Amino acid sequence: MVELAILDQLRAAQVIPVIRHSDTDIATKAIDLLLEQGIKAVEITTSVADADGLVRRLKARDESLLVGAGTVLDRVQAQAMLDAGSDFIVSPCWVDEVANLVIKADGVYLPGAMTPAEALHHHKAGAALVKIFPADAAGGPGFLRALCAVFPDIPLMPTGGIQPRDVSDYLQAGAVCVGVGGNLMPSQALEAGDLALAQAQICGALRDMPRPQ
């Protein structure tokens, strides 16, 4: 089953960098640096110019790389990302038209939730995994641990405001995997054209985080 296979890959990846930058070239350079460090999965948000094209190029380059589409807010975006080969579709909240399209296509939908009621709704409505968003503002690892205690059968992926040093705490609290965005993205260094600094920043951020096996 595709859904279970993707969940297994997300669990194995542990860390899911969320790529959010308007410049496709900057986003691509960041992804290249992350892949050099052993990252096995990425989420490309629709805020990246030509996001579906970037997904298509990444999948053509390495079919084993898990590539998701993030901040998908409508049916048009969802269809474009599915057509590009996205392995999973992520929204910041439950979006009916996205959910209906992705689930009907036997795709893997990861909608965001901030409350126990939302998490339960999304799971019962067919979400493959529920994104707890924004995780830091919602209560951090302690909040996630509480959710896992009452919903042990709901796969959860905290995302939003997470510092690299806190990834292990989220995994120990019960997360299937952890999405890390701006705190892992060396935007300023890449915008300045300083690849060495960007690489050093990524290596520093990843140093204390779990590494894919």
Side-chain angles (χ1 to χ4, degrees), residues 79-164:
Q79 188 64 66
M81 288 303 199
L82 287 174
D83 290 344
S86 297
D87 295 299
F88 56 94
I89 302 294
V90 186
S91 300
C93 60
W94 182 269
V95 182
D96 283 335
E97 62 186 280
V98 175
N100 291 339
L101 174 65
V102 176
I103 294 171
K104 182 177 290 187
D106 291 326
V108 179
Y109 188 42
L110 283 62
M114 193 178 181
T115 68
E118 290 172 337
L120 184 60
H121 165 270
H122 299 355
H123 176 66
K124 286 184 174 293
L129 184 154
V130 177
K131 179 176 82 165
I132 300 305
F133 176 82
D136 181 62
F143 178 69
L144 188 81
R145 185 177 293 106
L147 284 181
C148 289
V150 294
F151 301 136
D153 297 324
I154 300 180
L156 302 176
M157 178 182 76
T159 307
I162 295 176
Q163 296 288 340

Side-chain angles (χ1 to χ4, degrees), residues 42-65:
V42 294
E43 177 187 323
I44 312 298
T45 69
T46 57
S47 60
V48 177
D50 189 33
D52 57 326
L54 180 53
V55 170
R56 186 174 287 106
R57 291 190 293 275
L58 287 170
K59 293 301 294 184
R61 189 170 77 181
D62 183 359
E63 289 186 358
S64 69
L65 177 66

